[in-house]
Amino acid sequence: MSEYGIDIALIQETSEARPRACAIAGYVQLRTDRTYDRKGGTALYYSRSLHCCPIKIPPLVNMEATGCRLAMTGHRTIIIVSVYLPSPKPLLRSDLRALLALGDAVILFGDFNCKNPRWGCAIMNENEEKLDQLQDRLEFEIIAPSTATYFPHNDTYRTSILDIALTKGVALNLNYIETLNRLSSDHRPVLLKMGPPDGERPIPTIKITDWKKVSTAFEKSTLLRSIVYLMTLGRLNRSTML
């Protein structure tokens, strides 16, 4: 936390760790522990220097979440939520809609257990198919790092990018999102930096675009004669002229 100058840390799978044992100097700890078994749970730490306060999370069916409200200069209040969707539970529209409705500007960040080749996974699972369907309806953006976040302890299993961010109504610039090869968990920490440009070297990221929606809009246009697509996926840049 100190090394990377973290303002807000979002934690998933807190298990049965005692709150006092997980205290971090200079940060306020918020937790939502499971009541029915020892696994799962979410937590959030925010720097005491920030204008933050806890928020009440609405009842959820499959997701687990802990959130705060951040007031900042130059931007409307942002709701920031640590999210965990346990595998193999399905992604439910009602859960996602309830979290996105918490404010006009919302960041949901954590382990969604959604796999999609668009951000480097080998396969697409059912949760990601549902996320694809809901992206247009609920009007959110998907931001994913360009390298794996999940490294199974079993070497025969494939690595995946499971830890992603969903944003709605956030006007901050995305400076970068990257996986940090630190700590010993099977999920590596993911660092997301948002704010005004600061001249740092950009790190490859994946900002997911709903290309089906774009294609449909193009087909309906009778004035369109020439279109240039510029798509960036990790380090790969591909341009196609139609």
Side-chain angles (χ1 to χ4, degrees), residues 4 18 48 81 86 101 105 115 131 133 183 195 203 224-225:
Y4 288 94
R18 293 174 298 169
R48 294 186 182 276
V81 185
K115 298 180 181 181
L131 194 64
Q133 297 170 7
L183 306 181
I203 294 177
L224 185 62
R225 293 295 179 268

Side-chain angles (χ1 to χ4, degrees), residues 5-130:
I6 302 300
D7 291 317
I8 300 176
L10 310 178
I11 316 296
Q12 296 82 46
E13 295 189 82
T14 54
S15 299
E16 58 181 353
R18 293 174 298 169
R20 291 188 63 182
C22 297
I24 300 177
Y27 292 85
V28 175
Q29 177 189 183
L30 307 176
R31 293 171 62 101
T32 308
D33 295 312
R34 278 189 187 176
T35 57
Y36 55 90
D37 68 29
R38 298 179 179 180
K39 297 182 179 181
T42 56
L44 183 152
Y45 293 84
Y46 64 83
S47 172
R48 294 186 182 276
S49 64
L50 298 177
H51 296 286
C52 275
C53 64
I55 61 170
K56 184 177 180 180
I57 299 295
L60 304 172
V61 179
N62 286 343
M63 280 186 171
E64 301 175 31
T66 303
C68 72
R69 179 180 289 106
L70 169 65
M72 57 189 302
T73 303
H75 196 285
R76 56 188 170 185
T77 299
I78 301 178
I79 302 299
I80 302 173
V81 185
S82 173
V83 175
Y84 177 49
L85 178 62
S87 177
K89 289 187 177 181
L91 175 66
L92 299 180
R93 177 179 180 179
S94 60
D95 282 353
L96 199 54
R97 182 171 53 189
L99 293 177
L100 291 171
L102 287 170
D104 294 327
V106 179
I107 299 174
L108 310 180
F109 198 6
D111 181 3
F112 284 83
N113 271 303
C114 292
K115 298 180 181 181
N116 194 314
R118 288 192 294 166
W119 55 76
C121 298
I123 60 173
M124 176 185 286
N125 61 8
E126 293 183 4
N127 278 342
E128 178 45 41
E129 290 181 7
K130 189 63 175 294

